[in-house]
Amino acid sequence: MSTIKEPSFRESVDLMFNRAVALMDLPPGLEEKIRVCNATYTVRFGVRLRGEIKTFTGYRSVHSEHMEPVKGGIRFAMGVNQDEVEALAALMTYKCALVEAPFGGSKGGLRIDPRQYDEHELERITRRFAYELAKRDLIHPSQNVPAPDMGTGEREMAWMADQYARMNTTDINARACVTGKPLNAGGIAGRVEATGRGVQYALQEFFREPLDIQKAGLSGSLDGKRVIVQGLGNVGYHAAKFLSEEDGCKIIGVIERDGALFSPDGIDVDAVQQWLAKNGGVSGFPDATYTENGAAILEEDCDILIPAALEGVINLGNADNIKAPLIIEAANGPITAGADNILRKKGTVIIPDMYANAGGVTVSYFEWVKNLSHIRFGRMQRRQEEARHQLVVDELEQISAALGGQYKLTDGFKQKYLRGAGELELVRSGLDDTMRIAYQSMRDVWHSRDDVEDLRTAAYLVSIEKVAASYRAKGL
Ligand code: GLU
């Protein structure tokens, strides 16, 4: 065990930021302006529950307003505190800049264990929190747009959006005040899967680059890669599901709150998820070996490690023992600054959080645009696209007939080609494009500068440069 003190989450983000700006040529004042959080609002409010008044503490932190609205999720968890919310808000700024979502960075949190309350109680607590935030424009379509995070989902977003709409009855854009809403309440197809889908697209792009695969000491494609995932929540579940079902990865380890499952033959992610929903934990799952000490599985031999749960899980205490040559940070801040130094020296390739989990905010951006334009994606073009494709197919079939029917279009081709893209396909295509472009922008810096050793520093350089450019354009 090292005797060096582990920095807090916010200090970790600052240390990583400082490492990157040391390689840039920013005026010192601007550097400081970008680094610090602009404001953090703390609210304490009471809700009468079960015959007594319970007091809750919540936060909304705004890190950077170089673009507005500012954007970022709201988490419900007992560990929520100001330091954490500020670190997460800073990551949102860099994340949005990296994937070119036109937002500043923000984050919120409510210190609560959602499992202790029933649905009706949670609704009252959420609406009251939303009321406190909306009153101060900390929920607002053009100022501050929350989204789901740990412990929250579509249901909470629907309550928040409705609360805002009740308080702003004439706001035609009210639905754009929050993203991650259910489809029938102004949401968008593909938002729930988006962060996990983004992790898949990020890995697919990584595996298109032979040099990068080699840097991680790996070879070949995603097919057959052994993956360990920590956290089977929304992000971890979707990432593991898509990687195993569509890319041929083998999920050999799943780490959850109550322990971990391990099986060199691969684990059925859907089966574990169903088990988890029914039993509240992974213990007792029949088709894998259960270990109570879940953290130990982080140190198992595998090709790709996906921390998709909490921050700080890879730290000075276990970094030396991590064997995965490639880590993709599906969670925010799973690797502390100290652990990052150790892993970098070992040659571990880390696909950093601000890129790896940006799929969520990317599709949030699409949802926000959909809400502001008041029309579903694809509604205008879809049938027209199909009609034009039908013309081509008719023409090809005529040619085929003229050639004596020797060359026939395959059914598969016709089916695929004739179908115009619906909203889900468009969302996935937009997300894939975003993840590919953002990866290339990081990668260019990683490979073109001798003083940039890792993808994280490259990601910071790209995003800080974009934030700085927007401050410069404002004349700051
Ligand atoms: N909570 C997610 C994140 O940390 C999504 C944020 C959003 O969609 O605004 O990126």
Side-chain angles (χ1 to χ4, degrees):
M1 256 284 245
S2 171
T3 49
I4 312 166
K5 190 181 157 285
E6 192 91 72
S8 74
F9 184 16
R10 195 177 50 75
E11 286 164 348
S12 261
V13 173
D14 283 351
L15 283 167
M16 290 166 178
F17 174 92
N18 291 342
R19 244 177 72 79
V21 286
L23 307 174
M24 297 176 79
D25 200 17
L26 293 181
L30 183 56
E31 194 178 301
E32 176 72 0
K33 171 75 202 79
I34 296 174
R35 193 179 55 75
V36 297
C37 257
N38 289 3
T40 302
Y41 170 70
T42 308
V43 59
R44 293 182 189 86
F45 59 89
V47 182
R48 182 176 288 279
L49 297 168
R50 305 172 200 176
E52 57 174 303
I53 294 180
K54 284 213 187 276
T55 303
F56 296 91
T57 305
Y59 305 89
R60 185 77 181 159
S61 178
V62 175
H63 175 260
S64 177
E65 291 149 295
H66 67 289
M67 282 196 187
E68 284 180 315
V70 293
K71 189 93 191 71
I74 291 186
R75 66 171 55 175
F76 283 5
M78 281 310 283
V80 164
N81 59 65
Q82 181 165 348
D83 188 273
E84 181 193 65
V85 171
E86 290 189 354
L88 291 165
L91 282 175
M92 284 310 304
T93 296
Y94 310 132
K95 196 184 298 191
C96 291
L98 188 64
V99 296
E100 298 187 331
F103 303 125
S106 182
K107 199 84 176 199
L110 184 66
R111 198 181 302 150
I112 185 176
D113 178 358
R115 285 166 306 176
Q116 302 302 319
Y117 300 93
D118 65 30
E119 186 165 9
H120 178 65
E121 291 170 331
L122 268 179
E123 176 172 354
R124 288 181 54 209
I125 300 163
T126 306
R127 281 186 182 274
R128 181 60 203 274
F129 186 31
Y131 168 81
E132 295 294 336
L133 296 181
K135 205 162 76 170
R136 292 168 180 85
D137 290 342
L138 291 166
I139 296 183
H140 192 285
S142 60
Q143 301 270 289
N144 197 323
V145 183
D149 201 78
M150 251 168 60
T152 56
E154 289 187 331
R155 181 182 67 174
E156 287 73 16
M157 298 308 113
W159 291 332
M160 287 187 189
D162 185 63
Q163 187 61 36
Y164 177 87
R166 286 185 190 188
M167 294 163 72
N168 297 273
T169 48
T170 55
D171 185 347
I172 193 171
N173 292 321
R175 279 187 153 176
C177 75
V178 160
T179 58
K181 302 177 293 292
L183 202 52
N184 60 12
I188 192 167
R191 175 62 184 86
V192 175
E193 64 166 46
T195 315
R197 186 64 82 182
V199 171
Q200 177 198 26
Y201 289 161
L203 281 172
Q204 286 177 351
E205 186 61 2
F206 181 89
F207 277 88
R208 280 187 197 107
E209 296 294 349
L211 194 60
D212 302 3
I213 302 170
Q214 199 190 330
K215 270 201 181 236
L218 292 166
S219 60
S221 67
L222 269 172
D223 193 28
K225 291 287 176 290
R226 297 162 309 143
V227 175
I228 294 178
V229 57
Q230 183 191 37
L232 221 53
N234 182 40
V235 182
Y237 164 68
H238 282 106
K241 178 181 165 70
F242 298 146
L243 287 167
S244 56
E245 285 177 3
E246 297 170 20
D247 299 291
C249 289
K250 207 193 274 181
I251 311 299
I252 60 165
V254 171
I255 307 166
E256 257 295 324
R257 225 183 290 257
D258 67 324
L261 299 174
F262 193 79
S263 168
D265 299 331
I267 300 170
D268 179 342
V269 179
D270 272 320
V272 180
Q273 214 234 5
Q274 279 159 25
W275 182 271
L276 208 85
K278 211 167 115 207
N279 303 291
V282 290
S283 104
F285 181 74
D287 302 320
T289 312
Y290 169 76
T291 326
E292 205 179 320
N293 179 11
I297 300 297
L298 285 171
E299 301 172 14
E300 276 295 331
D301 188 26
C302 66
D303 299 313
I304 305 170
L305 178 61
I306 311 183
L310 273 178
E311 54 259 19
V313 293
I314 300 175
N315 46 48
L316 292 173
N318 61 0
D320 274 323
N321 306 329
I322 301 290
K323 293 182 196 67
L326 176 63
I327 305 178
I328 178 157
E329 295 183 315
N332 286 306
I335 300 178
T336 64
D340 194 60
N341 286 334
I342 296 172
L343 292 167
R344 195 169 350 102
K345 291 205 179 92
K346 278 212 296 196
T348 310
V349 172
I350 299 170
I351 304 181
D353 47 8
M354 74 174 74
Y355 166 69
N357 66 39
V361 76
T362 300
V363 177
S364 275
Y365 168 40
F366 303 155
E367 179 177 334
W368 181 73
V369 170
K370 176 186 180 183
N371 293 151
L372 294 178
S373 57
H374 300 264
I375 189 163
R376 152 172 68 77
F377 287 107
R379 181 162 174 183
M380 302 296 279
Q381 322 78 315
R382 184 177 188 168
R383 303 302 166 192
Q384 199 256 0
E385 198 186 315
E386 285 179 0
R388 289 170 73 100
H389 286 187
Q390 186 68 56
L391 286 177
V392 176
V393 167
D394 290 348
E395 203 66 20
L396 287 172
E397 279 182 335
Q398 264 193 43
I399 296 171
S400 153
L403 291 171
Q406 233 173 317
Y407 304 104
K408 276 212 158 57
L409 298 180
T410 57
D411 282 349
F413 166 79
K414 261 170 71 172
Q415 229 175 29
K416 277 193 197 144
Y417 188 68
L418 282 177
R419 237 167 60 93
E423 187 169 82
L424 183 60
E425 282 150 301
L426 291 169
V427 162
R428 286 182 181 157
S429 144
L431 176 59
D432 193 12
D433 186 59
T434 302
M435 296 309 288
R436 291 189 197 209
I437 290 178
Y439 185 78
Q440 291 301 328
S441 70
M442 272 187 326
R443 183 178 189 273
D444 278 352
V445 174
W446 187 30
H447 290 292
S448 66
R449 286 184 60 157
D450 291 338
D451 53 356
V452 175
E453 297 168 42
D454 59 326
L455 277 167
R456 189 189 312 280
T457 307
Y460 269 103
L461 285 178
V462 173
S463 48
I464 296 167
E465 188 46 61
K466 287 191 174 148
V467 178
S470 115
Y471 275 123
R472 271 191 228 108
K474 283 184 173 187
L476 201 80

